[in-house]
Amino acid sequence: MRSYRNGFGGLRAAAWPAIVLALVTACGGTSASGRVCTGIGSREGIGLDIPAPYAAKVGEAAMTVCWNGACREREIQLMPSTKAVPAGCTGDAPEDSCSAIASPDGGKHGFADLDGLPTTPVQVTVVLRDAAGAELLDQKIGVTPHVTYPNGRECGAGAPQAEIVVADGRLSVRP
C-alpha cells in the first residue's frame, strides 16, 4: 500500500515548481517569437465616451447598432471617466518607481456588448437623455469595428470593437 504521508501522493518539494509553472502557462501561451501571451481577451462591442462638460448634462444613454438587416438595442450603463494624475516618485534612480492615481475628469463612458459584431460597416444610433428624461441627442453614425489585439499582434486577435465620442452634442468615431 502506498503511503500519502508527504501529501498529494508523495510529491517531493522539487516537483512543486514544475507544477506551478505548468499551471501558470496553462492560463496563457507563447507567441511564435517567444513573447508571453496572457489569457486576457477583449469585449466585443462599441464604446461610448462623453467628455466634460457635455457629460454633466447626460443622465442616461442608449445605443442601437444595425448590420445585416438586424438591429440590436442596448441601454448603456454610464460610469465616471478618470484621468491619471502623477502622485510622485521615490527618487531619480532607474530602480525607483513613480505612481499615479485615478482622478475623475468630469466625463462619462459606457460600453455596448454586441455578440457577432462584424468588422464591416455598421450603423449606430445614440440617444442621450438628461436626468429628467428629456432627449439631449438622437444621432446616427456609421462606424467600422476593428479587431483588437489585447496582448499585441504577436499573440493573436481579440474581439472587434469601435469607439464613439460625443463632443459638443455631435457624434464622431474615435480612430
Side-chain angles (χ1 to χ4, degrees):
M1 179 173 220
R2 179 180 245 173
S3 169
Y4 292 97
R5 287 181 34 214
N6 289 341
F8 297 99
L11 289 175
R12 296 176 189 242
W16 284 108
I19 292 170
V20 170
L21 180 61
L23 289 173
V24 169
T25 56
C27 295
T30 305
S31 71
S33 67
R35 179 179 173 180
V36 175
C37 301
T38 68
I40 193 169
S42 54
R43 292 169 64 186
E44 187 174 20
I46 299 178
L48 179 65
D49 187 25
I50 310 169
Y54 192 80
K57 302 175 188 178
V58 180
E60 56 187 65
M63 186 182 293
T64 302
V65 184
C66 303
W67 72 87
N68 293 335
C71 295
R72 290 107 178 130
E73 295 181 26
R74 301 289 188 269
E75 295 295 319
I76 308 296
Q77 180 182 1
L78 294 174
M79 306 295 290
S81 296
T82 59
K83 63 181 176 182
V85 177
C89 298
T90 61
D92 294 330
E95 65 273 6
D96 291 330
S97 63
C98 296
S99 62
I101 59 172
S103 177
D105 67 3
K108 295 179 182 177
H109 69 275
F111 193 83
D113 289 298
L114 296 157
D115 291 336
L117 185 66
T119 55
T120 56
V122 299
Q123 290 296 312
V124 180
T125 302
V126 174
V127 177
L128 302 179
R129 297 185 183 282
D130 66 14
E135 188 174 283
L136 299 171
L137 177 120
D138 183 349
Q139 289 182 16
K140 184 184 288 188
I141 191 169
V143 62
T144 302
H146 296 281
V147 173
T148 58
Y149 295 89
N151 284 284
R153 291 189 180 272
E154 294 178 354
C155 292
Q161 293 182 350
E163 180 84 14
I164 294 175
V165 180
V166 181
D168 300 322
R170 308 275 320 148
L171 297 181
S172 64
V173 177
R174 180 167 284 150

